[in-house]
Amino acid sequence: QQATYMQYLNNPWVDSVLASLSIDEMITQSIWISTGSEKDISQNIRTDQIIRQYGIGGLIIHTGCGDTQAGLVNHYQSVSRVPLAITMDDEWGPYPNRLSLEAITDDSLKYNAGRRIARQLKKLGIHAVLSPTADLFPGADLNLVTGFQDNQMLLCDDNIRDPVIPEFDSILMQVPGFHSLLAAGTANTSALAGCFRLDDMDPAMAIEQIKSLITNGIVDEEAISSRTRKILAFKYWSGLPSTSRQRPFSEKAFIWNLYRNSLTVLNNRDQSIPIKDLEKSKIACVAINHSSGTAFQDMVSNYTRADHYSWMPGATSEDSLLTTLASYDVVLAGIYNTCLLYTSDAADDDRIVW
């Protein structure tokens, strides 16, 4: 399946911008860098300098998109000659995370969630969401995906499994600071751009190494022009060249409805839910993978008296906690940080709670 933005490869705006770029600027359109922390002014200054000097193609936000971060994005857009593609790292503000959304069984609600999340992100100047896991596609729910794409929000994958890597991408992968290749989350696994860490990034080296491929006849300018055209087509499809940002609208009621519909009962054979005779039961509430009290525990306290505990791998003795909990009639557990990536190394680590 071809990415939706590919239909704009020959759009007049794409033709016009492409014709205005030098070979160096075409190369750097394939370089997208992490912006780092919004609190680190040295990283903000370096990002500004790289955009001004080299004309990179995009930024990847890993620290959320509050008002301060959004203000920085607006600034970066203002100093970039070609509009920047802004990607958010698998995060969409106050909405339920992807796993919670996948648990919803109402297809129309999932589509509406994708649509409304995309609209909110667009108002913040975001054009794509990066998934850190390779299994987002093709296994993601099509209703959610379609809701995003119908509102020009690209879902990206940074774990391309195509065994054939073009020479252009091979050189990008050798440049200091390289992190991953980014591709649209579809069956088409060819890269859109390269993701780079800001601290180690050297755009000048990328330019010189790729130009050496042209000199040696390994890559022709047409291949670089073709890649740049694809990036510009994505930018046009996503709503650029307009870089205006609007104020997000309140979604509290809709978000509450999403959470309500994502709740899933896996097993209630002994009819333990709902909990009966609260006043006669000794109840413990445990926050797992969390070092302090949680909103879940606060909510439990609104209904009944309960003793609260927290447990982090390595911070508290498991045996000691289990001994304490053995005296309770009911133990409620809230499990946090469940988005840990599953790797072969993690599989052998019994400190990690899945």
Side-chain angles (χ1 to χ4, degrees):
Q1 180 184 354
Q2 194 175 60
T4 310
Y5 60 80
M6 295 292 282
Q7 64 185 296
Y8 296 104
L9 286 175
N10 297 310
N11 179 271
W13 182 83
V14 173
D15 290 339
S16 174
V17 175
L18 185 62
S20 72
L21 299 178
S22 66
I23 187 63
D24 289 15
E25 291 169 325
M26 288 186 192
I27 292 170
T28 54
Q29 279 297 299
S30 291
I31 295 175
W32 298 7
I33 61 174
S34 302
T35 59
S37 171
E38 62 188 46
K39 298 178 182 179
D40 189 339
I41 191 169
S42 64
Q43 291 203 9
N44 299 337
I45 292 172
R46 176 157 168 73
T47 301
D48 178 284
Q49 291 174 335
I50 290 176
I51 292 171
R52 292 175 186 269
Q53 184 173 355
Y54 297 105
I56 60 170
L59 301 175
I60 299 169
I61 299 173
H62 295 276
T63 55
C65 197
D67 286 342
T68 302
Q69 186 73 70
L72 283 171
V73 168
N74 282 348
H75 168 74
Y76 296 144
Q77 291 285 17
S78 72
V79 300
S80 179
R81 187 168 77 84
V82 178
L84 295 162
I86 309 297
T87 302
M88 182 175 281
D89 189 6
D90 199 36
E91 180 182 336
W92 34 65
Y95 294 91
N97 62 28
R98 179 169 51 84
L99 293 177
S100 296
L101 292 175
E102 293 283 0
I104 297 173
T105 58
D106 185 331
D107 289 344
S108 63
L109 184 59
K110 276 193 277 198
Y111 173 83
N112 202 24
R115 181 179 68 86
R116 294 173 78 148
I117 293 171
R119 286 173 56 197
Q120 287 281 40
L121 293 177
K122 297 287 279 190
K123 289 178 181 294
L124 292 169
I126 306 299
H127 311 111
V129 174
L130 172 66
S131 170
T133 55
D135 61 357
L136 176 58
F137 290 93
D141 186 276
L142 289 179
N143 296 286
L144 184 62
V145 172
T146 304
F148 272 86
Q149 294 182 342
D150 283 355
N151 288 271
Q152 292 72 53
M153 181 63 57
L154 186 69
L155 291 170
C156 291
D157 188 349
D158 69 343
N159 192 343
I160 298 175
R161 297 169 295 284
D162 189 346
V164 180
I165 302 295
E167 285 290 340
F168 181 89
D169 293 327
S170 295
I171 292 299
L172 284 181
M173 294 168 69
Q174 297 172 33
V175 174
F178 175 83
H179 178 265
S180 59
L181 294 173
L182 306 180
T186 67
N188 178 7
T189 57
S190 61
L192 178 64
C195 171
F196 292 83
R197 293 181 296 272
L198 176 63
D199 291 341
D200 305 319
M201 179 59 204
D202 188 347
M205 179 180 291
I207 293 171
E208 291 308 311
Q209 290 186 339
I210 292 173
K211 287 174 74 173
S212 71
L213 294 180
I214 298 174
T215 302
N216 295 324
I218 299 173
V219 173
D220 58 27
E221 289 193 27
E222 181 56 35
I224 297 173
S225 176
S226 178
R227 169 65 63 81
T228 307
R229 181 177 289 278
K230 184 164 69 169
I231 293 171
L232 293 175
F234 158 66
K235 291 184 176 184
Y236 182 83
W237 169 81
S238 68
L240 294 167
S242 173
T243 57
S244 62
R245 182 171 71 92
Q246 305 175 41
R247 203 171 170 78
F249 46 85
S250 176
E251 289 276 60
K252 288 184 178 179
F254 181 70
I255 292 171
W256 175 257
N257 192 35
L258 290 177
Y259 277 115
R260 182 174 65 85
N261 280 272
S262 70
L263 293 176
T264 304
V265 177
L266 298 179
N267 185 337
N268 194 28
R269 284 194 294 267
D270 59 1
Q271 300 300 307
S272 58
I273 301 173
I275 299 173
K276 304 175 182 64
D277 300 323
L278 291 177
E279 67 282 357
K280 299 178 182 179
S281 300
K282 185 180 180 182
I283 299 174
C285 188
V286 185
I288 297 175
N289 289 343
H290 209 282
S291 59
S292 59
T294 66
F296 171 62
Q297 291 173 314
D298 292 340
M299 184 60 71
V300 169
S301 294
N302 288 338
Y303 287 89
T304 188
R305 187 185 66 80
D307 297 325
H308 299 299
Y309 301 90
S310 60
W311 180 80
M312 286 285 291
T316 306
S317 170
E318 300 173 38
D319 293 338
S320 174
L321 180 60
L322 290 173
T323 300
T324 301
L325 296 177
S327 64
Y328 287 88
D329 302 312
V330 177
V331 176
L332 305 175
I335 304 176
Y336 299 85
N337 299 320
T338 56
C339 59
L340 293 172
L341 295 182
Y342 185 88
T343 66
S344 57
D345 292 336
D348 297 326
D349 190 342
D350 58 10
R351 297 171 302 167
I352 296 178
V353 176
W354 302 100

